[in-house]
Amino acid sequence: VSRLESIKGMDLVVPAFAEVLKRFPEVRLLVVGDGSLRATMEQQAADLGCADHITWVGRQPQEELAQWYGQMDIVLMPSRSEGFGLTAIEAMANGCVMVASNVGGLPEVVRDGVCGLLHRSEDVHDMAAKVCMLLDDAALYEKLRTQSLIEVEKYSFERYADLVCNLYERLKVKG
């Protein structure tokens, strides 16, 4: 779920998926998003022989993303640079386990081994290995999935509203 752009690392997804597919021939890749790398990614899929296992749905309206997340178990976020990681929060809130690159603000949202897995930036093999680890170990997958749903609560509207109200109360008392 991303803009299909180099900064988002989307050119790394299909090669990683092709590695995973060698071990788990039943897996499928769902690509939600569009961008300048789509043709490149489609060519990668053809060259690597995995095109028949990929569904491309293009850019989707925000209000329909929950339905797409509902079809996913694992969400890849191989960003080369990421300030915060809204996609990670959305995915986690929808019960997906994240495999994200260890860059920018992603490690704050996707705590490695706690509520997702981090891979080395630019490392297709490490990304594929993390996905395979989740597919190999149902208990690990379920632990991370459950913890993701708990962790994502700290980003809820209710929590932020409480924090802002608390801040105003403290300022009012000091003022």
Side-chain angles (χ1 to χ4, degrees):
V1 180
S2 180
R3 289 180 291 121
L4 306 184
E5 302 296 340
S6 181
I7 191 88
K8 297 295 188 179
M10 297 312 289
D11 53 311
L12 306 172
V13 169
V14 173
F17 174 70
E19 281 190 32
V20 172
L21 191 60
K22 290 175 188 172
R23 286 198 50 213
F24 299 93
E26 71 282 0
V27 298
R28 300 290 178 264
L29 177 64
L30 174 62
V31 180
V32 179
D34 216 341
S36 65
L37 288 180
R38 179 160 176 172
T40 299
M41 293 172 70
E42 288 174 338
Q43 187 60 54
Q44 287 175 321
D47 294 346
L48 294 167
C50 60
D52 291 344
H53 298 269
I54 301 175
T55 301
W56 308 85
V57 297
R59 188 173 190 279
Q60 298 296 308
Q62 183 69 34
E63 60 273 9
E64 294 180 20
L65 288 181
Q67 127 189 351
W68 294 107
Y69 283 121
Q71 297 180 42
M72 301 174 196
D73 297 309
I74 299 168
V75 173
L76 303 178
M77 199 167 177
S79 297
R80 292 183 166 97
S81 175
E82 196 71 47
F84 179 62
L86 182 58
T87 298
I89 290 170
E90 291 173 345
M92 291 164 60
N94 282 282
C96 302
V97 175
M98 292 300 306
V99 173
S101 61
N102 192 6
V103 299
L106 287 175
E108 292 177 41
V109 175
V110 182
R111 294 184 13 208
D112 192 36
V114 175
C115 61
L117 297 175
L118 296 174
H119 65 83
R120 291 183 299 274
S121 180
E122 300 287 329
D123 193 332
V124 168
H125 305 295
D126 192 40
M127 185 187 339
K130 298 293 171 46
V131 172
C132 289
M133 185 185 310
L134 292 170
L135 295 173
D136 258 340
D137 189 341
L140 173 63
Y141 172 84
E142 195 52 43
K143 173 190 150 216
L144 296 177
R145 182 183 177 284
T146 300
Q147 192 59 40
S148 291
L149 292 166
I150 294 166
E151 287 283 319
V152 79
E153 284 300 312
K154 66 180 157 184
Y155 301 103
S156 71
F157 175 79
E158 291 79 12
R159 181 166 184 271
Y160 276 91
D162 288 345
L163 290 171
V164 169
C165 287
N166 186 357
L167 174 63
Y168 283 133
E169 283 300 315
R170 287 185 297 156
L171 292 173
K172 188 167 81 173
V173 169
K174 289 182 180 183

